[in-house]
Amino acid sequence: EAGVVQSPRYKIIEKKQPVAFWCNPISGHNTLYWYLQNLGQGPELLIRYENEEAVDDSQLPKDRFSAERLKGVDSTLKIQPAELGDSAVYLCASSEDRESPLHFGNGTRLTVT
Amino acid sequence: QKEVEQNSGPLSVPEGAIASLNCTYSDRGSQSFFWYRQYSGKSPELIMFIYSNGDKEDGRFTAQLNKASQYVSLLIRDSQPSDSATYLCAVMGGSNYKLTFGKGTLLTVNP
């Protein structure tokens, strides 16, 4: 079974530029998550989807962050414009349903200069 | 108050010893509890999950849950240098299914 696939693995951009991350969950997994992880911290939830519906986006900074999950499969997370403080690892995860264990992708390490 | 608390460590144990990792949580309604291992520069990897009070064993790993004390722990028997990593405790809220992670405990197993 293929795992959660994320791209790109690394991204370096200048502040104020836009950036987008892509995630393909494990086949059949209805629930998809985007987490942010800073160095030395645990992952922090940005948004959770159940199928194509965003059921928890309370921690998503909506002035600059947006996300979508078209057709309830792949998902894209966008930041526009990026700020220096956005430098972190962005993790995508999926689970069979909202109560099942999460499985993480390899993450995207974002550096904003 | 942080919802999920872990001792950040580092916790250092000799090879072959038992490593004990602890976690407390604030939401009494929490129903599901997970332990993830994260190697440096890698993403979190699921090790175990536990839903009921008591112990759950899987190979060298044992998860322990005490809902009355709002406490969950992970024991690693016969610790190996390859167990050296950060261990993340994650707790799922009972009403909103939100999975909240602790900051993680860095474990070092010395040969």
Side-chain angles (χ1 to χ4, degrees), chain A residues 65-84:
Chain A
F65 286 64
S66 64
E68 61 181 8
R69 189 183 185 197
L70 300 177
K71 301 180 180 179
V73 181
D74 294 1
S75 179
T76 303
L77 178 68
K78 298 178 181 177
I79 308 175
Q80 181 171 11
E83 298 179 351
L84 295 176

Side-chain angles (χ1 to χ4, degrees), chain A residues 35 37 40-43 48 56 59 91 98-99 101-102 104-106, chain B residues 34 36 38 43-44 46 49 51 88 92 96-99 101-103:
Chain A
Y35 278 85
Q37 187 174 27
Q41 303 293 316
R48 171 167 62 96
D56 185 353
Q59 302 301 309
L91 294 164
R98 61 185 180 181
E99 298 180 60
L102 277 63
F104 285 88
N106 288 326
Chain B
F34 306 86
Y36 285 82
Q38 187 171 28
S43 60
L46 179 69
F49 55 90
Y51 301 141
L88 297 163
M92 184 173 287
N96 59 13
Y97 302 98
K98 178 180 178 179
L99 190 65
F101 285 82
K103 293 176 64 174

Side-chain angles (χ1 to χ4, degrees), chain A residues 19-65:
Chain A
V19 64
F21 315 125
W22 175 80
C23 173
N24 179 247
I26 294 172
S27 178
H29 281 198
N30 295 326
T31 309
L32 183 146
Y33 312 75
W34 285 101
Y35 278 85
L36 175 156
Q37 187 174 27
N38 288 303
L39 190 64
Q41 303 293 316
E44 298 173 26
L45 180 67
L46 290 172
I47 189 167
R48 171 167 62 96
Y49 284 93
E50 291 180 12
N51 297 304
E52 61 272 12
E53 181 182 1
V55 296
D56 185 353
D57 63 355
S58 58
Q59 302 301 309
L60 189 72
K62 297 180 184 64
D63 56 336
R64 298 185 300 108
F65 286 64

Side-chain angles (χ1 to χ4, degrees), chain B residues 13 15-16 27 45-47 49 52 60 63 66 68-69 85 100 105:
Chain B
V13 300
E15 184 175 356
D27 180 1
E45 172 192 11
L46 179 69
I47 298 177
F49 55 90
S52 304
R60 295 186 297 113
N66 184 327
S69 300
T100 301
T105 298

